[in-house]
Amino acid sequence: MAERRDDRSYSFDPVYRHLLRARDLSQNADVPRDLKAEINRAIELCQQRWQYCEDQTTKPSPALAHLIKETFAYPWEDAHKEGRVSYYATPRMLTGNLEAQLIKLITNASKANMVLEIGLYTGCSSLAMAEALPKDGKVVSLEIDKGIADVARSFLNRSPVGNKIEIMIGPALNSLEILAEKQVKFDVIFIDADKTGYVQYYKTIFEKDLLASEGTIIVDNVLKDGDPYSGEEYEPNSGAISEFNEMVLRDKNVHKVMIPVRDGVYLIRRMKD
Ligand SMILES: C[S@@+](CC[C@H](N)C(=O)[O-])C[C@H]1O[C@@H](n2cnc3c(N)ncnc32)[C@H](O)[C@@H]1O
């Protein structure tokens, strides 16, 4: 169990989870040595595949590397106990370098100028996207917890592009309303906040016309530890993700592809008006 609570991609994969269980079950049972070796090799391959993808990916900028390192080193439990943040904000929420580089690449390829993030945490994906923007580009990032936003700001200030990131504190739906009133449009939107909010965020984005024509929405955690396809209920809120995925599938106005990166990423492109 301890192994799946880390940040590594394979820990989100139910195959890995079941392999660990098979290994545990085989320990004291009368299982042939060859079979035990095969189980161990399969576990090792899951880890090697993840490591290989990490190694073959562009390394983070110094500021992004610092942010990732410091997010793990931060005393989140103490911060929660002392009331500086409203809940135990585990570093497992961090997107990490591989996914951040994917999002950065898409931002860059989209020639985006205006980017919206729903769910800032310590700013990993915000910073990666800001690094892909032109001089006058901007990231608006929504975060409900003021304490978490303060931690993010302290990390973002170390980057030469940190000033491109505007943080809006408050429930994301309220912030979306404010942005809609200002008639702002975004070229790329990354959804990565509370999973039960995904359906409403998606609907609001289109109802309030927040996404530019041919703009892209990137959505995190759409495989939610495997629950949407395994039929298992490993994670709370996975039902909300299944509902979200079904809604996107039915939406004929977007081009979409789901990719099994980390906990699953949905790439959704609004078609030309
Ligand atoms: C998974 S983390 C985001 C990770 C981040 N994108 C990254 O790159 O590391 C989700 C964040 O969304 C915030 N959040 C949760 N519910 C929210 C809401 N209703 N409105 C705004 N932010 C919310 C959480 O406090 C948390 O910091």
Side-chain angles (χ1 to χ4, degrees), residues 2-267:
E3 272 175 276
R4 75 159 287 275
R5 281 290 151 206
D6 64 34
D7 68 307
R8 292 168 288 193
S9 291
Y10 53 78
S11 75
F12 294 89
D13 186 344
V15 173
Y16 184 72
R17 196 163 73 221
H18 282 274
L19 280 170
L20 291 183
R21 204 171 296 156
R23 184 186 63 185
D24 291 348
L25 289 170
S26 70
Q27 289 307 315
N28 303 320
D30 189 14
V31 173
R33 195 184 298 177
D34 285 1
L35 182 52
K36 282 185 185 172
E38 280 302 318
I39 294 171
N40 284 331
R41 182 70 187 123
I43 290 170
E44 201 175 61
L45 282 169
C46 291
Q47 298 169 347
Q48 286 173 338
R49 180 174 185 264
W50 167 78
Q51 190 61 55
Y52 187 72
C53 292
E54 290 281 332
D55 292 347
Q56 294 296 124
T57 296
T58 298
K59 297 289 165 268
S61 66
L64 190 58
H66 176 267
L67 183 152
I68 292 171
K69 190 164 159 255
E70 291 304 310
T71 299
F72 281 99
Y74 195 81
W76 292 108
E77 212 166 343
D78 293 346
H80 180 216
K81 278 187 200 144
E82 291 158 17
R84 282 181 280 128
V85 299
S86 63
Y87 65 99
Y88 175 42
T90 160
R92 199 172 186 254
M93 301 198 306
L94 188 86
T95 39
N97 186 56
L98 190 141
E99 190 175 346
Q101 295 304 329
L102 171 71
I103 296 165
K104 179 174 176 175
L105 190 150
I106 292 164
T107 307
N108 202 302
S110 310
K111 297 194 176 10
N113 202 284
M114 287 294 286
V115 170
L116 173 67
E117 172 170 68
I118 306 179
L120 165 76
Y121 188 40
T122 55
C124 182
S125 34
S126 272
L127 182 54
M129 293 188 285
E131 288 175 350
L133 294 180
K135 257 195 172 130
D136 61 342
K138 187 172 166 183
V139 177
V140 178
S141 192
L142 315 185
E143 173 56 54
I144 198 163
D145 188 285
K146 162 115 181 31
I148 294 178
D150 289 344
V151 176
R153 182 42 76 199
S154 72
F155 295 159
L156 296 172
N157 283 347
R158 292 178 65 103
S159 163
V161 298
N163 59 353
K164 288 184 182 171
I165 303 166
E166 178 190 328
I167 301 173
M168 287 179 78
I169 296 165
L173 272 181
N174 291 2
S175 302
L176 291 177
E177 293 289 341
I178 295 168
L179 291 166
E181 275 165 28
K182 292 184 183 164
Q183 300 190 326
V184 194
K185 271 192 200 269
F186 296 95
D187 307 301
V188 171
I189 300 179
F190 180 45
I191 304 180
D192 188 20
D194 50 323
K195 311 309 157 199
T196 50
Y198 276 25
V199 166
Q200 204 49 46
Y201 298 147
Y202 188 87
K203 285 183 177 167
T204 306
I205 286 165
F206 287 101
E207 280 164 18
K208 304 282 177 182
D209 210 14
L210 285 160
L211 183 68
S213 171
E214 297 185 277
T216 301
I217 304 179
I218 308 166
V219 191
D220 201 15
N221 304 109
V222 289
L223 289 178
K224 205 77 201 97
D225 293 83
D227 287 1
Y229 61 86
S230 68
E232 295 173 11
E233 284 185 35
Y234 191 67
E235 276 287 313
N237 305 330
S238 59
I241 291 290
S242 297
E243 189 193 340
F244 173 80
N245 292 343
E246 282 305 309
M247 182 190 64
V248 175
L249 185 64
R250 284 195 307 268
D251 188 347
K252 300 276 181 280
N253 298 314
V254 294
H255 183 199
K256 59 238 159 192
V257 55
M258 188 181 281
I259 51 174
V261 168
R262 202 163 176 264
D263 196 22
V265 177
Y266 225 152
L267 304 179

